[in-house]
Every structure is written in structure tokens, then in C-alpha cells.
Amino acid sequence: MKEGAGYDRHQWNSCYAKAYFQEGLTRDYKFRIKQLNLLTKMLKDYESDILDALHRDLNKSEYEAYATEIGFLYGEIDLHRNRLKEWMEPAKVKNPLSHKGSKSYIIKEPYGTALVISPWNYPINLALAPVIGAISAGNTVVLKPSELTPNVSALLNKMIANTFDPALFKVIEGGKETSEELLDQHFDYIFFTGSVQVGKSVMEKASRHLTPVTLELGGKSPAIIHKDAKLDLAAKRIVWGKFMNAGQTCIAPDYLYVHRDVKTKLLAKIKKYIKIFYGRQPLENNHFTKIVNKQHFDRLSNYLNNGTLITGGNTDRENLKMEPTLLDNIGWQDEVMKEEIFGPILPVLTYIDLNEAIDNIRDQEKPLALYYFGEKEHEQRLVTETLSFGGGCINDTLLHIANPNLPFGGVGMSGIGSYHGKASFDTFSHAKSMTKQTTKFDYGFRYPGSKLGLKLIKKIMK
Ligand code: NAD
């Protein structure tokens, strides 16, 4: 089915996406580049609408919207555009002696039609970043954005419908039921970003068709602050990473795990930076993101009576605003430590011995991110090499996600698979292994009945 040929753009059905893929257009390099260019043009044309929708759904400031959503996407598209030719080239591999005369190589083949299901916290970035990979790898795409950010969802639908052939890239809006109906269909790849609980259900549904999945999930990501950390810098970078987007970031530090000797000093500095970044009255700060809805607001409010309040704690339910809040004297048994917080509340646990802290973190599910603050290299290595987690930083927070050369994803309960940059292209490509045999000669020893066969095979395959 060629672009614009013989069907009504508005009478969409997933068979169109499959038929369009089968037509073969998406296998072409120039076609893919054209779609990536269209994606950039779409973002530029609708930039002010995107900023407006993000502000209406989440009170996101223009700075945060640009830095963490739109700007990120421009960079990602550019990288794919610049490297796509090289990534698409079949990759030659070495032959063993037994394959003399033949050539072996890997073809990066698009899976077909990909389903992308996205969450609400970075609703533009997390919807479109996987799509960049899906399109650059030559797939057709169906995107189901989150219903909890309705202005962004409607805008995604509108701008994508106005830019792309719906058989190539289509948005289906809706909530849980819509998502479940889509998952009942047979897609060739499923890329899901969201909670662990829903991730399990997505994988269960995918298993019916043995559809490969990427699951970008969440969890409780610790920030360990050791006694030799540069405390002022640590406090500044923790406040930045935790309270960006009001803590509604999958890789935000979920809790602090601080050495007893430096806790008082660190907490004082964190208080200082909260004031510097968000003012004395954060609830009045128009640039502070709101909580996505009342249900999440009430869930978070229940944590506020855990431990000892160090700073923050004030809330505005009507406007869904919650102050950056620091809670000390928290133990593993407290409610706030039972699930991912996903809001502007930062609980503080204390340790005396770094090995004890490592053991306690190892007892939890593998986190999506981990941050270690401390100067000594052997301790940095001890933490990052003995604990399993998706990815992280030493002496900073969040930064690893913004390097397109680092695959981003979780491990264990925090996810399966990864993306960004080349990892996105690889994620949406099947690696097809090929051997091209020569017809110029044929070794007889591999065939039954060859006298020399066993002797030669033992020599070659030793
Ligand atoms: P969610 O799991 O509730 O929803 C995600 C998407 O799944 C939405 O589009 C939703 O409509 C859909 N959905 C809901 N119930 C479903 C069901 N039963 N079957 C199929 N689809 C269903 O997650 P959320 O609240 O939108 O996002 C917050 C979670 O996402 C947090 O846990 C956070 O850590 C995680 N997250 C992870 C990443 C990452 O990159 N690893 C990024 C952002 C958010």
C-alpha cells in the first residue's frame, strides 16, 4: 500500500500498519531519513503547542520542557539521521576455519509493526524517543500515550495525524482498556514504559504471540552519600535530580542513604539548595511542576507523616502542589520505603559501614538507577561493581540518561532491554545472521561417507 493510495486516512485499522510494512517502503534508507526529518519539522512547527500542553497537564516550566523533553528529542533525531547509514550496513563477522570460502554477516532487519505504550511523567519525550528508534530501524508504529496527560495525548494525536501517513505512524488515545485491546492484537514488537505492575501484565499479554518486549520500568533508586563526599556539590546535584519535575522522574533519587558522620551537614545543605532553587514558598513558585492528579497527590500525602520532617511538608491539594520535602529518621519498614515514591518527598536512611549499606540495598529489588557520592575510587568501584542496577552516576544524578552513547534501561524488576541512540536502533531491529557460501568449490569431508571426515573435523574443531 503506497502513501495516500486507496484508503481513507481516518478509517484506521492495525492491518494498515502491517500491510504498509509489507509493502517494503520502510526498508529504504532515504524513506527513513525523510520520516526523521518530518519528525523534527513536526516538533518545530508545534513547539509552542507542546510547551502549552505540558504546562496545562503538569505545570511544566518552559526550561524543563525544553531541557528534558523537546531538546532531548532534537538531539536524538540528529544522532539517528547522522549515523543511520552506518547502522543499516550489514555487519561483517569473522569466519571459523570450517567456513572457508564463505562470508558471514548480520543484517539489521526491522521487526514489522511496533506498539509503543508511554507514561505521563515526560509525556512527549517518553512517547517519541522510542518512536525515533522504531522508525529509524524501519518499522511502522502505533503509539498509545498516557491518558493522565490529556492535553499532550490529544496534541500527539493531532500533530502526528497531520504529519504522517496513519499506516506508518498512528496514535491511538485511551486508557487501560484501550491499551489492553491493543495488546490483544499481534504486534511484532512492544515497547512499554511505565510501572512494574503494568509491565508484568504487558509481558504476560506479549507472551501469547511470543512478541519481543522492552520494558522500561521504575523502582526505588538510592543515592548513597559516603563520609568523604563533597557535601555541598552532592546536596546541589541531589536537589536538582530529585525535585526536577516534582520528583516524578523514573530515575530520580528515591531515597538518600547517608553516612552517619555527614548526615547533619548534608541535610542542612539540601535545605539550603531547596530554598535557592525553589524559593521560600515553593507552593507559590509558578515554575514548580504539579502532581499529575488527585490520586497520586493523596498517595504521596500519606507519606508525609513518616519519620521526622526536616523541611517542606506543606501542600495545596486544589492546585496539586507539594513542597520539596525531606524526611529524616526513616527505616526500611516505613510506608515511604515500600514503593517507588515518584513525587517530591526525599526520605533519609543512615548507615555506619558502607558494606552494611550495600547489603541492605542488595536485599531490595534491583533499582533502575543508583547514585554514589564519595571521592575514593576503590569505594566507588565497590558500590558500582557489587550492586546490580540499570545505570547511574558517581558524584551526580540523572546525567547518564542524557548521553545517547549510553544504553538506558533497567535490570530485574526495573526493566528489560534498553534504548537511546544506537541502542534504540538495535532494539527495534532483529539481528539476522547470514552465511553466504561459495559455489566455486565444495569440501567433501563434511558429507557422510567421507574417509577423511572425522580426522579433519577433529583438527578444525579442536
Ligand atoms: P502506568 O504503568 O500506570 O501506565 C503506563 C501506560 O500503560 C499508560 O499509557 C497507561 O494507559 C497504560 N496502562 C495502564 N494500565 C494498563 C494495563 N493494565 N495494561 C496495559 N496498559 C496499561 O505508569 P505511569 O503511572 O504512566 O508512569 C509511572 C511509572 O512509569 C513509574 O513507575 C515510573 O518509574 C515508570 N517510568 C519508567 C521510565 C523508564 O524509562 N524506565 C520512565 C518514566 C516512567
Side-chain angles (χ1 to χ4, degrees), residues 118-121 126 144 147 179 194-195 216-218 250 340 408:
S118 58
W120 52 263
N121 59 329
L126 298 174
K144 209 298 284 166
E147 71 283 17
S179 211
S195 60
E216 293 283 343
L217 309 178
C250 56
E340 179 184 17
F408 173 71

Side-chain angles (χ1 to χ4, degrees), residues 140-302:
T140 55
V141 189
V142 177
L143 167 66
K144 209 298 284 166
S146 171
E147 71 283 17
L148 300 192
T149 35
N151 290 295
V152 170
S153 178
L155 178 63
L156 279 166
N157 195 356
K158 180 174 132 188
M159 60 189 186
I160 288 161
N162 287 343
T163 310
F164 291 93
D165 187 310
L168 170 71
F169 180 15
K170 170 80 180 167
V171 173
I172 306 280
E173 287 191 84
K176 176 175 178 277
E177 287 75 24
T178 307
S179 211
E180 285 177 334
E181 277 171 31
L182 284 167
L183 287 165
D184 285 335
Q185 299 184 30
H186 188 171
F187 284 91
D188 301 296
Y189 201 91
I190 297 172
F191 190 105
F192 171 80
T193 307
S195 60
V196 173
Q197 194 194 349
V198 176
K200 287 181 187 172
S201 153
V202 168
M203 192 160 173
E204 209 175 306
K205 292 208 168 218
S207 73
R208 286 190 228 152
H209 300 292
L210 289 184
T211 304
V213 291
T214 294
L215 301 177
E216 293 283 343
L217 309 178
K220 289 188 86 63
S221 300
I224 303 171
I225 300 89
H226 201 40
K227 57 188 171 188
D228 63 334
K230 295 201 169 158
L231 293 183
D232 198 70
L233 214 46
K236 198 201 273 184
R237 291 172 178 175
I238 287 167
V239 171
W240 173 75
K242 174 69 186 185
F243 299 109
M244 174 186 292
N245 209 31
Q248 301 167 118
T249 303
C250 56
I251 51 164
D254 186 273
Y255 62 97
L256 301 186
Y257 210 178
V258 191
H259 193 280
R260 185 187 56 184
D261 296 355
V262 293
K263 189 175 80 173
T264 310
K265 266 192 187 158
L266 178 81
L267 298 194
K269 286 176 186 297
I270 288 180
K271 255 175 98 164
K272 175 183 87 176
Y273 279 110
I274 289 176
K275 246 183 224 133
I276 293 174
F277 292 171
Y278 302 107
R280 284 181 185 278
Q281 306 286 342
L283 295 184
E284 312 293 317
N285 183 335
N286 280 335
H287 297 304
F288 195 56
T289 308
K290 67 180 182 183
I291 308 305
V292 67
N293 61 21
K294 287 224 155 53
Q295 191 196 336
H296 278 284
F297 183 91
D298 292 340
R299 176 184 65 79
L300 289 165
S301 299
N302 287 334

Side-chain angles (χ1 to χ4, degrees), residues 13 68 131 147 215 234 241 263 280 295 324 383 385 414 441 454:
N13 174 310
T68 64
V131 170
E147 71 283 17
L215 301 177
K263 189 175 80 173
R280 284 181 185 278
Q295 191 196 336
V383 170
E385 290 174 15
S414 56
F441 56 87
L454 180 62

